[in-house]
Amino acid sequence: MIERLTFFVFAALALGSAIVVVVHRSPIWATLSLVLTLFSTAVLFVLLGAPFLAALQVLVYAGAIMVLFLFVIMLLN
């Protein structure tokens, strides 16, 4: 029961933040929403029984690439 509720909460969070990435006009808020999307996808990977993919998702994508994107966006503004 709790796993199903957790799945639906983080799936809705991923979907909502992905919509914010596409719709929002500010690139900084869009990038931060993309980080939230990647974190919620990592939680979904954990629920599916793939903790290595979840750790990889957080470390590589949310940790390194998104910080680099955010740094470049802030540098160019």
Side-chain angles (χ1 to χ4, degrees):
M1 178 69 182
I2 193 75
E3 289 179 0
R4 180 176 286 184
L5 180 66
T6 306
F7 175 78
F8 284 127
V9 166
F10 280 101
L13 187 64
L15 187 63
S17 59
I19 290 171
V20 170
V21 169
V22 175
V23 173
H24 212 284
R25 294 185 57 88
S26 173
I28 294 174
W29 282 106
T31 306
L32 290 175
S33 295
L34 188 57
V35 169
L36 183 62
T37 304
L38 293 174
F39 276 126
S40 57
T41 305
V43 172
L44 293 177
F45 278 141
V46 168
L47 289 175
L48 287 172
F52 178 71
L53 285 177
L56 201 66
Q57 182 87 11
V58 169
L59 289 176
V60 173
Y61 292 113
I65 294 175
M66 286 297 108
V67 170
L68 184 67
F69 281 175
L70 193 60
F71 178 73
V72 168
I73 289 171
M74 287 182 168
L75 186 67
L76 293 178
N77 279 341

